[in-house]
Amino acid sequence: MTATAAAAATLTARALLLDMDGTIVNSDAVVERCWRRWAAAQGLDGDAVMEVVHGRQGYATMALLLPDRPMELNHEDNRRMLAEETADVDGVVPVPGAPAFLAALAGLPHALVTSADRTLSRTRMEAAGLPLPELRITAESVSASKPDPEGFLKAAAELGFAPADCVVFEDSEAGIAAGRAAGMRVVGVGPRAAAHGPDVAVPDLTAVAVEAGPDGRIVLKIS
């Protein structure tokens, strides 16, 4: 099933797996500033770079853009970029509907699955005024970046649910591909998501209502 933002839908799940940037936190302003500086330093077109940065860990984006570059240089730049992004919270805000959405998940099985590291994820969630889920799968938790499904599969396993019982919330091409590769249904959030084949696409989280079902399932009503 593929639905648009205008089509109502109801999904049920045992657990929800949430991307951070672009899905519950709007950090686009910081990402633009940091990555356009990096693009300029590498002699790359900033607009072209911004087309592929979302969802992946930094080193994976660099390897995609500069395939002949030594990977150790990508990891070195990635460490520096993470420090820059952690220090810059100007313009970091919650995605519309995110505070109520996360409040509704209190006590229900869910996890954060992000390409950010522990420090950056904590910094951005705090800057946006959002609670940190108890389970967080960050860059340090995995050996492969999205679109590899490792992060989502690890989160499902740690929560104790089969992939088919999980629903992923994602905004990026890489993240949506990772969720689908994990065998999970995907709710695409925001302007980037609809073009990349999520099961349901919403403009933001105000279109998602969360209810606890009588059998312990999570009921998602998409408007």
Side-chain angles (χ1 to χ4, degrees), residues 22 24-25 33 42 46 87-88 92-93 101-102 112 120 122 133 151 156 160 167 175 185 187 198 200:
I24 56 176
V25 173
R33 285 193 290 271
Q42 304 303 319
D88 185 356
V92 175
V93 295
F101 177 74
L102 286 171
L112 191 71
L120 180 57
R122 179 178 293 275
V167 169
R185 291 157 293 158
V187 176
V200 179

PDB file of all heavy atoms in Angstrom, residues 22 24-25 33 42 46 87-88 92-93 101-102 112 120 122 133 151 156 160 167 175 185 187 198 200:
ATOM      1  N   GLY A  22      14.782  15.714  10.561  1.00  0.00           N
ATOM      2  CA  GLY A  22      13.796  15.790   9.498  1.00  0.00           C
ATOM      3  C   GLY A  22      12.517  15.054   9.805  1.00  0.00           C
ATOM      4  O   GLY A  22      11.514  15.242   9.114  1.00  0.00           O
ATOM      5  N   ILE A  24      11.463  14.087  13.532  1.00  0.00           N
ATOM      6  CA  ILE A  24      10.920  14.691  14.750  1.00  0.00           C
ATOM      7  C   ILE A  24      11.619  15.995  15.097  1.00  0.00           C
ATOM      8  O   ILE A  24      11.063  16.824  15.813  1.00  0.00           O
ATOM      9  CB  ILE A  24      10.950  13.708  15.949  1.00  0.00           C
ATOM     10  CG1 ILE A  24      12.362  13.182  16.198  1.00  0.00           C
ATOM     11  CG2 ILE A  24       9.973  12.559  15.721  1.00  0.00           C
ATOM     12  CD1 ILE A  24      12.455  12.276  17.427  1.00  0.00           C
ATOM     13  N   VAL A  25      12.831  16.179  14.587  1.00  0.00           N
ATOM     14  CA  VAL A  25      13.592  17.418  14.805  1.00  0.00           C
ATOM     15  C   VAL A  25      13.893  18.062  13.458  1.00  0.00           C
ATOM     16  O   VAL A  25      14.378  17.388  12.545  1.00  0.00           O
ATOM     17  CB  VAL A  25      14.924  17.134  15.546  1.00  0.00           C
ATOM     18  CG1 VAL A  25      15.783  18.392  15.602  1.00  0.00           C
ATOM     19  CG2 VAL A  25      14.664  16.608  16.952  1.00  0.00           C
ATOM     20  N   ARG A  33      24.160  24.788   6.777  1.00  0.00           N
ATOM     21  CA  ARG A  33      25.359  25.588   7.043  1.00  0.00           C
ATOM     22  C   ARG A  33      26.617  24.728   7.014  1.00  0.00           C
ATOM     23  O   ARG A  33      27.610  25.081   6.362  1.00  0.00           O
ATOM     24  CB  ARG A  33      25.236  26.273   8.408  1.00  0.00           C
ATOM     25  CG  ARG A  33      24.285  27.451   8.429  1.00  0.00           C
ATOM     26  CD  ARG A  33      24.442  28.275   9.697  1.00  0.00           C
ATOM     27  NE  ARG A  33      23.953  27.577  10.883  1.00  0.00           N
ATOM     28  CZ  ARG A  33      22.693  27.651  11.318  1.00  0.00           C
ATOM     29  NH1 ARG A  33      21.787  28.340  10.629  1.00  0.00           N
ATOM     30  NH2 ARG A  33      22.326  27.018  12.420  1.00  0.00           N
ATOM     31  N   GLN A  42      35.542  21.388  -0.744  1.00  0.00           N
ATOM     32  CA  GLN A  42      35.872  20.285  -1.647  1.00  0.00           C
ATOM     33  C   GLN A  42      35.684  20.654  -3.117  1.00  0.00           C
ATOM     34  O   GLN A  42      35.925  19.828  -4.000  1.00  0.00           O
ATOM     35  CB  GLN A  42      34.990  19.062  -1.329  1.00  0.00           C
ATOM     36  CG  GLN A  42      35.066  18.584   0.095  1.00  0.00           C
ATOM     37  CD  GLN A  42      36.472  18.237   0.534  1.00  0.00           C
ATOM     38  OE1 GLN A  42      37.231  17.641  -0.227  1.00  0.00           O
ATOM     39  NE2 GLN A  42      36.825  18.600   1.751  1.00  0.00           N
ATOM     40  N   GLY A  46      27.086  22.995  -3.932  1.00  0.00           N
ATOM     41  CA  GLY A  46      26.350  22.874  -2.681  1.00  0.00           C
ATOM     42  C   GLY A  46      24.966  22.283  -2.849  1.00  0.00           C
ATOM     43  O   GLY A  46      24.524  21.461  -2.035  1.00  0.00           O
ATOM     44  N   ALA A  87      27.888  21.779  18.087  1.00  0.00           N
ATOM     45  CA  ALA A  87      28.065  23.116  18.653  1.00  0.00           C
ATOM     46  C   ALA A  87      27.060  24.122  18.110  1.00  0.00           C
ATOM     47  O   ALA A  87      26.914  25.217  18.669  1.00  0.00           O
ATOM     48  CB  ALA A  87      29.486  23.612  18.374  1.00  0.00           C
ATOM     49  N   ASP A  88      26.357  23.785  17.051  1.00  0.00           N
ATOM     50  CA  ASP A  88      25.449  24.724  16.374  1.00  0.00           C
ATOM     51  C   ASP A  88      24.008  24.236  16.527  1.00  0.00           C
ATOM     52  O   ASP A  88      23.603  23.268  15.887  1.00  0.00           O
ATOM     53  CB  ASP A  88      25.824  24.801  14.895  1.00  0.00           C
ATOM     54  CG  ASP A  88      25.018  25.833  14.114  1.00  0.00           C
ATOM     55  OD1 ASP A  88      24.097  26.440  14.702  1.00  0.00           O
ATOM     56  OD2 ASP A  88      25.315  26.031  12.920  1.00  0.00           O
ATOM     57  N   VAL A  92      17.390  24.886  15.469  1.00  0.00           N
ATOM     58  CA  VAL A  92      16.934  23.513  15.725  1.00  0.00           C
ATOM     59  C   VAL A  92      15.604  23.572  16.483  1.00  0.00           C
ATOM     60  O   VAL A  92      15.531  24.086  17.595  1.00  0.00           O
ATOM     61  CB  VAL A  92      17.970  22.721  16.530  1.00  0.00           C
ATOM     62  CG1 VAL A  92      17.424  21.341  16.903  1.00  0.00           C
ATOM     63  CG2 VAL A  92      19.263  22.575  15.729  1.00  0.00           C
ATOM     64  N   VAL A  93      14.555  23.048  15.876  1.00  0.00           N
ATOM     65  CA  VAL A  93      13.204  23.125  16.449  1.00  0.00           C
ATOM     66  C   VAL A  93      12.501  21.788  16.225  1.00  0.00           C
ATOM     67  O   VAL A  93      12.905  20.993  15.376  1.00  0.00           O
ATOM     68  CB  VAL A  93      12.374  24.253  15.794  1.00  0.00           C
ATOM     69  CG1 VAL A  93      12.971  25.627  16.103  1.00  0.00           C
ATOM     70  CG2 VAL A  93      12.256  24.041  14.288  1.00  0.00           C
ATOM     71  N   PHE A 101       3.189  13.993  19.634  1.00  0.00           N
ATOM     72  CA  PHE A 101       3.431  12.634  19.148  1.00  0.00           C
ATOM     73  C   PHE A 101       4.275  11.851  20.144  1.00  0.00           C
ATOM     74  O   PHE A 101       3.939  10.719  20.531  1.00  0.00           O
ATOM     75  CB  PHE A 101       4.123  12.713  17.790  1.00  0.00           C
ATOM     76  CG  PHE A 101       4.505  11.394  17.175  1.00  0.00           C
ATOM     77  CD1 PHE A 101       3.556  10.569  16.619  1.00  0.00           C
ATOM     78  CD2 PHE A 101       5.833  11.008  17.142  1.00  0.00           C
ATOM     79  CE1 PHE A 101       3.914   9.356  16.031  1.00  0.00           C
ATOM     80  CE2 PHE A 101       6.202   9.804  16.562  1.00  0.00           C
ATOM     81  CZ  PHE A 101       5.236   8.977  16.015  1.00  0.00           C
ATOM     82  N   LEU A 102       5.393  12.435  20.597  1.00  0.00           N
ATOM     83  CA  LEU A 102       6.255  11.741  21.549  1.00  0.00           C
ATOM     84  C   LEU A 102       5.583  11.590  22.906  1.00  0.00           C
ATOM     85  O   LEU A 102       5.767  10.571  23.590  1.00  0.00           O
ATOM     86  CB  LEU A 102       7.588  12.473  21.673  1.00  0.00           C
ATOM     87  CG  LEU A 102       8.528  12.297  20.472  1.00  0.00           C
ATOM     88  CD1 LEU A 102       9.719  13.226  20.590  1.00  0.00           C
ATOM     89  CD2 LEU A 102       9.002  10.856  20.355  1.00  0.00           C
ATOM     90  N   LEU A 112      14.607   5.564  19.151  1.00  0.00           N
ATOM     91  CA  LEU A 112      15.209   6.512  18.224  1.00  0.00           C
ATOM     92  C   LEU A 112      16.267   5.765  17.427  1.00  0.00           C
ATOM     93  O   LEU A 112      17.107   5.062  18.002  1.00  0.00           O
ATOM     94  CB  LEU A 112      15.853   7.660  19.009  1.00  0.00           C
ATOM     95  CG  LEU A 112      16.319   8.877  18.200  1.00  0.00           C
ATOM     96  CD1 LEU A 112      15.117   9.664  17.686  1.00  0.00           C
ATOM     97  CD2 LEU A 112      17.214   9.776  19.066  1.00  0.00           C
ATOM     98  N   LEU A 120      25.419  14.254  19.562  1.00  0.00           N
ATOM     99  CA  LEU A 120      24.628  15.108  18.675  1.00  0.00           C
ATOM    100  C   LEU A 120      23.139  14.831  18.840  1.00  0.00           C
ATOM    101  O   LEU A 120      22.329  15.775  18.862  1.00  0.00           O
ATOM    102  CB  LEU A 120      25.047  14.889  17.220  1.00  0.00           C
ATOM    103  CG  LEU A 120      24.300  15.708  16.167  1.00  0.00           C
ATOM    104  CD1 LEU A 120      24.422  17.205  16.436  1.00  0.00           C
ATOM    105  CD2 LEU A 120      24.798  15.370  14.763  1.00  0.00           C
ATOM    106  N   ARG A 122      21.533  13.735  21.498  1.00  0.00           N
ATOM    107  CA  ARG A 122      21.077  14.319  22.758  1.00  0.00           C
ATOM    108  C   ARG A 122      20.981  15.841  22.651  1.00  0.00           C
ATOM    109  O   ARG A 122      20.007  16.450  23.092  1.00  0.00           O
ATOM    110  CB  ARG A 122      22.018  13.924  23.896  1.00  0.00           C
ATOM    111  CG  ARG A 122      21.629  14.524  25.252  1.00  0.00           C
ATOM    112  CD  ARG A 122      22.557  14.062  26.354  1.00  0.00           C
ATOM    113  NE  ARG A 122      22.411  12.646  26.615  1.00  0.00           N
ATOM    114  CZ  ARG A 122      21.496  12.136  27.414  1.00  0.00           C
ATOM    115  NH1 ARG A 122      20.626  12.930  28.024  1.00  0.00           N
ATOM    116  NH2 ARG A 122      21.446  10.831  27.608  1.00  0.00           N
ATOM    117  N   PRO A 133      13.926   9.066  23.840  1.00  0.00           N
ATOM    118  CA  PRO A 133      13.453   7.704  24.077  1.00  0.00           C
ATOM    119  C   PRO A 133      14.481   6.906  24.884  1.00  0.00           C
ATOM    120  O   PRO A 133      15.691   7.151  24.798  1.00  0.00           O
ATOM    121  CB  PRO A 133      13.303   7.137  22.665  1.00  0.00           C
ATOM    122  CG  PRO A 133      13.070   8.338  21.797  1.00  0.00           C
ATOM    123  CD  PRO A 133      13.926   9.410  22.406  1.00  0.00           C
ATOM    124  N   GLY A 151      20.453  -0.561  11.685  1.00  0.00           N
ATOM    125  CA  GLY A 151      19.961   0.189  12.833  1.00  0.00           C
ATOM    126  C   GLY A 151      18.530  -0.155  13.191  1.00  0.00           C
ATOM    127  O   GLY A 151      18.195  -0.347  14.379  1.00  0.00           O
ATOM    128  N   ALA A 156      14.572  -3.150  16.639  1.00  0.00           N
ATOM    129  CA  ALA A 156      13.478  -4.107  16.768  1.00  0.00           C
ATOM    130  C   ALA A 156      13.876  -5.260  17.675  1.00  0.00           C
ATOM    131  O   ALA A 156      13.101  -5.684  18.552  1.00  0.00           O
ATOM    132  CB  ALA A 156      13.073  -4.623  15.393  1.00  0.00           C
ATOM    133  N   GLY A 160      12.397  -6.396  21.260  1.00  0.00           N
ATOM    134  CA  GLY A 160      11.801  -7.715  21.343  1.00  0.00           C
ATOM    135  C   GLY A 160      10.665  -7.977  20.371  1.00  0.00           C
ATOM    136  O   GLY A 160       9.802  -8.812  20.644  1.00  0.00           O
ATOM    137  N   VAL A 167       6.779  -0.159  12.818  1.00  0.00           N
ATOM    138  CA  VAL A 167       6.566   0.901  11.838  1.00  0.00           C
ATOM    139  C   VAL A 167       7.668   1.940  12.014  1.00  0.00           C
ATOM    140  O   VAL A 167       7.936   2.386  13.134  1.00  0.00           O
ATOM    141  CB  VAL A 167       5.180   1.556  11.983  1.00  0.00           C
ATOM    142  CG1 VAL A 167       5.080   2.830  11.136  1.00  0.00           C
ATOM    143  CG2 VAL A 167       4.085   0.580  11.572  1.00  0.00           C
ATOM    144  N   GLY A 175      16.856   6.734   4.604  1.00  0.00           N
ATOM    145  CA  GLY A 175      16.149   6.185   5.754  1.00  0.00           C
ATOM    146  C   GLY A 175      14.956   5.342   5.362  1.00  0.00           C
ATOM    147  O   GLY A 175      14.705   4.270   5.950  1.00  0.00           O
ATOM    148  N   ARG A 185       7.120  -1.490   7.715  1.00  0.00           N
ATOM    149  CA  ARG A 185       6.326  -0.450   7.058  1.00  0.00           C
ATOM    150  C   ARG A 185       6.899   0.912   7.425  1.00  0.00           C
ATOM    151  O   ARG A 185       7.470   1.082   8.499  1.00  0.00           O
ATOM    152  CB  ARG A 185       4.869  -0.568   7.491  1.00  0.00           C
ATOM    153  CG  ARG A 185       4.169  -1.828   6.959  1.00  0.00           C
ATOM    154  CD  ARG A 185       2.988  -2.195   7.811  1.00  0.00           C
ATOM    155  NE  ARG A 185       3.416  -2.615   9.136  1.00  0.00           N
ATOM    156  CZ  ARG A 185       2.650  -2.604  10.212  1.00  0.00           C
ATOM    157  NH1 ARG A 185       1.404  -2.161  10.140  1.00  0.00           N
ATOM    158  NH2 ARG A 185       3.120  -3.013  11.377  1.00  0.00           N
ATOM    159  N   VAL A 187       6.320   5.189   7.486  1.00  0.00           N
ATOM    160  CA  VAL A 187       5.586   6.449   7.367  1.00  0.00           C
ATOM    161  C   VAL A 187       6.602   7.520   6.996  1.00  0.00           C
ATOM    162  O   VAL A 187       7.558   7.774   7.743  1.00  0.00           O
ATOM    163  CB  VAL A 187       4.871   6.818   8.683  1.00  0.00           C
ATOM    164  CG1 VAL A 187       4.204   8.191   8.545  1.00  0.00           C
ATOM    165  CG2 VAL A 187       3.838   5.761   9.055  1.00  0.00           C
ATOM    166  N   PRO A 198       7.417   5.588   0.665  1.00  0.00           N
ATOM    167  CA  PRO A 198       6.914   5.131   1.954  1.00  0.00           C
ATOM    168  C   PRO A 198       5.518   4.528   1.792  1.00  0.00           C
ATOM    169  O   PRO A 198       4.845   4.768   0.791  1.00  0.00           O
ATOM    170  CB  PRO A 198       6.872   6.415   2.787  1.00  0.00           C
ATOM    171  CG  PRO A 198       6.614   7.492   1.784  1.00  0.00           C
ATOM    172  CD  PRO A 198       7.394   7.061   0.552  1.00  0.00           C
ATOM    173  N   VAL A 200       2.992   5.298   3.708  1.00  0.00           N
ATOM    174  CA  VAL A 200       2.120   6.451   3.925  1.00  0.00           C
ATOM    175  C   VAL A 200       3.016   7.677   4.004  1.00  0.00           C
ATOM    176  O   VAL A 200       4.108   7.614   4.568  1.00  0.00           O
ATOM    177  CB  VAL A 200       1.315   6.316   5.242  1.00  0.00           C
ATOM    178  CG1 VAL A 200       0.424   7.530   5.462  1.00  0.00           C
ATOM    179  CG2 VAL A 200       0.474   5.048   5.244  1.00  0.00           C
TER     180      VAL A 200
END
